[in-house]
Amino acid sequence: MSVQHADQFQRARAEAHQQPPRRRRHALLPVIGAAAAALVLAGCGGSALAPDTQSMPAATAAATRPADRGLPPWPAPADPYPGIKAAGLSIGPMGMAEHYHAHLDVFVDGKQTPVAADIGIDPQTEEMTALHTHDTRGVIHIEAHKKGDTYTLGQLFQQWSVALTPDQIGALKTGGGKALAAYVNGKKVDGDPAAIVLKPHMQIALAHGTPDPSFTPSAGYQFEPGE
């Protein structure tokens, strides 16, 4: 507290003690409040308090950034809309211009992990984007509103809220003897797996873990009649 504010406080206190008891408490409150405000402003460089993200604890700051969704299995997010927005898609009635399917397998250390059901679907309204899943078979549905529209594997993962880069899937990263490989129709492909463009009856496999020369992903998938 500055000398000026201390003097004001002492004068107000003396005056308050000369007043009837009922008025003393109320007479002190404005000055106490002003003195407290002066201390707060002095500590803040003369400005009002505001959140400072640069001084947040690491755990709190990390919570404000998009999550990689941890280790598998990865369920569909409870709130689908942030992922849908990140994928550049919108939710609404089913598209009718084109309708086809692709299939995705995900392997972690040689074991298959499920692809979540209801990716890209609002659980309340059951409306969906043009790119979505209905069950855990790994069947990806493409129901486009415009003929010729293209969709990527990365857009599916964005709606799933699971990280997918050339060296990461979810919280599983490469390095330390671990690798991430992508296969299309049984053949290994290089580059960013998120950039894979989905095509009718395409079979995609992602495999994370210690490379196994004997690992041979399926070159195709037995879709159900009509898929």
Side-chain angles (χ1 to χ4, degrees):
M1 185 184 297
S2 67
V3 173
Q4 180 182 1
H5 287 112
D7 289 342
Q8 290 176 351
F9 182 88
Q10 293 298 331
R11 285 198 301 271
R13 185 177 181 185
E15 291 171 1
H17 278 287
Q18 294 173 3
Q19 296 173 9
R22 289 184 180 178
R23 297 183 57 192
R24 284 180 190 168
R25 183 170 177 270
H26 297 288
L28 279 171
L29 287 175
V31 178
I32 293 171
L39 285 173
V40 170
L41 289 173
C44 298
S47 62
L49 288 172
D52 179 5
T53 55
Q54 293 183 345
S55 61
M56 282 184 181
T60 303
T64 67
R65 297 191 294 269
D68 56 26
R69 293 262 277 155
L71 300 175
W74 301 290
D79 180 1
Y81 285 93
I84 289 170
K85 182 178 180 181
L89 300 173
S90 59
I91 208 159
M94 182 176 66
M96 301 295 290
E98 281 190 307
H99 187 183
Y100 57 93
H101 305 86
H103 185 263
L104 171 66
D105 286 321
V106 179
F107 298 92
V108 176
D109 292 324
K111 297 181 179 179
Q112 193 164 1
T113 191
V115 176
D118 298 328
I119 298 171
I121 297 178
D122 184 332
Q124 302 300 320
T125 66
E126 297 187 355
E127 291 186 321
M128 61 198 74
T129 70
L131 174 63
H132 56 272
T133 66
H134 287 290
D135 50 42
T136 59
R137 292 180 299 146
V139 174
I140 304 168
H141 296 249
I142 296 92
E143 298 172 21
H145 292 276
K146 291 193 299 181
K147 192 174 181 64
D149 281 353
T150 59
Y151 303 91
T152 66
L153 185 63
Q155 287 177 296
L156 180 75
F157 273 79
Q158 284 174 312
Q159 294 185 100
W160 197 0
S161 296
V162 175
L164 180 63
T165 71
D167 54 14
Q168 181 176 359
I169 179 170
L172 301 171
K173 298 183 180 181
T174 60
K178 302 288 186 177
L180 175 62
Y183 303 82
V184 172
N185 298 333
K187 296 181 179 180
K188 188 175 181 180
V189 295
D190 296 323
D192 187 353
I196 295 173
V197 176
L198 303 174
K199 296 180 180 179
H201 287 188
M202 174 182 279
Q203 165 59 24
I204 305 166
L206 299 175
H208 181 277
T210 304
D212 179 1
S214 66
F215 176 74
T216 305
S218 174
Y221 176 75
Q222 187 64 48
F223 291 90
E224 292 183 357
E227 285 185 334

